[in-house]
Amino acid sequence: KNEVEQSPQNLTAQEGEFITINCSYSVGISALHWLQQHPGGGIVSLFMLSSGKKKHGRLIATINIQEKHSSLHITASHPRDSAVYICAVQTSGSRLTFGEGTQLTVNP
Amino acid sequence: ETGVTQTPRHLVMGMTNKKSLKCEQHLGHNAMYWYKQSAKKPLELMFVYNFKEQTENNSVPSRFSPECPNSSHLFLHLHTLQPEDSALYLCASRGDQGNSPLHFGNGTRLTVT
């Protein structure tokens, strides 16, 4: 069992829908990262958070340290949001452990 | 544009070849990383360099040899690879502060024939 579990593995939505991707972890962490990977392979850091909630544009990330759970929400989804979304937890020092990713497809 | 540049973007090599992957960043970061991403698997950490010194080798086979001549450049030298080494190899860098995010390059798609 991975230390970081994401759900769902695949998600298909219609443009405009509200999307939620979940991440659960089993270890103590100092921070949690949400990353976006486009088909070309490049990865962009979306959020780094250790408590509460962060918002950037249509993206919202929340974390509950007690429950060892984080969610990434996308409001008013758009086809350009189609990508793989990866959750990663930061443990000792700067080591990151990654989830397998959630493939999101937003249809027009 | 993330500020981290990887070359080449694609590489096909035979098992007896020797090749190198290059990563360059001018973000002033002192930590640089090599990750491997195989199909349907999470990213795997390979090597970590801090201030040009290797601080982590995640049990990587010796056919992968990293080199960090300065804080801006990182190489991954490849020799006598196996077909199962085919994957996306990603470089990343990070600032010194504990709350600094990772900056990834676009990766090198490696195919070993």
Side-chain angles (χ1 to χ4, degrees):
Chain A
K1 185 173 164 42
N2 285 346
E3 291 179 338
V4 181
E5 295 281 347
Q6 286 186 235
S7 63
Q9 286 189 324
N10 294 281
L11 179 58
T12 300
Q14 288 301 120
E15 184 172 355
E17 285 185 2
F18 180 83
I19 288 163
T20 295
I21 299 170
N22 295 299
C23 176
S24 296
Y25 54 93
S26 56
V27 295
I29 68 169
S30 55
L32 183 141
H33 300 249
W34 280 104
L35 309 167
Q36 180 191 55
Q37 185 173 31
H38 280 280
I43 295 177
V44 175
S45 178
L46 298 175
F47 294 104
M48 179 179 173
L49 65 166
S50 54
S51 65
K53 176 179 172 179
K54 286 191 176 181
K55 184 175 188 291
H56 185 249
R58 295 180 294 106
L59 301 178
I60 302 166
T62 63
I63 188 169
N64 184 319
I65 296 292
Q66 286 74 29
E67 294 186 4
K68 291 186 165 62
H69 181 269
S70 175
S71 293
L72 176 68
H73 306 286
I74 305 176
T75 61
S77 60
H78 190 276
R80 65 175 174 267
D81 297 325
S82 298
V84 176
Y85 291 84
I86 301 170
C87 171
V89 297
Q90 182 172 325
T91 54
S92 59
S94 59
R95 174 177 270 272
L96 293 184
T97 302
F98 295 83
E100 292 186 4
T102 294
Q103 173 69 62
L104 171 66
T105 303
V106 181
N107 294 318
Chain B
E1 180 58 49
T2 63
V4 180
T5 303
Q6 286 188 247
T7 55
R9 289 298 308 276
H10 300 272
L11 178 62
V12 179
M13 60 186 288
M15 290 191 283
T16 58
N17 290 159
K18 288 185 181 181
K19 296 285 184 184
S20 296
L21 309 185
K22 180 182 176 181
C23 176
E24 185 173 355
Q25 58 88 11
H26 295 287
L27 301 169
H29 293 167
N30 290 307
M32 295 187 77
Y33 306 77
W34 280 116
Y35 287 95
K36 176 184 178 182
Q37 188 179 38
S38 303
K40 308 295 183 186
K41 287 187 177 181
L43 273 80
E44 301 171 55
L45 178 66
M46 299 177 74
F47 301 103
V48 181
Y49 276 82
N50 279 287
F51 294 90
K52 302 186 296 179
E53 299 296 322
Q54 188 182 125
T55 55
E56 193 156 351
N57 175 337
N58 199 27
S59 303
V60 180
S62 59
R63 58 186 184 269
F64 295 91
S65 174
E67 179 190 2
C68 189
N70 55 61
S71 292
S72 298
H73 294 85
L74 185 65
F75 295 90
L76 188 63
H77 303 300
L78 316 171
H79 63 98
T80 59
L81 294 192
Q82 305 297 312
E84 60 264 30
D85 296 322
S86 299
L88 180 68
Y89 289 85
L90 289 152
C91 172
S93 70
R94 195 170 186 189
D96 296 336
Q97 294 184 345
N99 60 354
S100 298
L102 277 171
H103 293 252
F104 284 88
N106 286 326
T108 295
R109 175 72 60 187
L110 174 67
T111 303
V112 182
T113 60

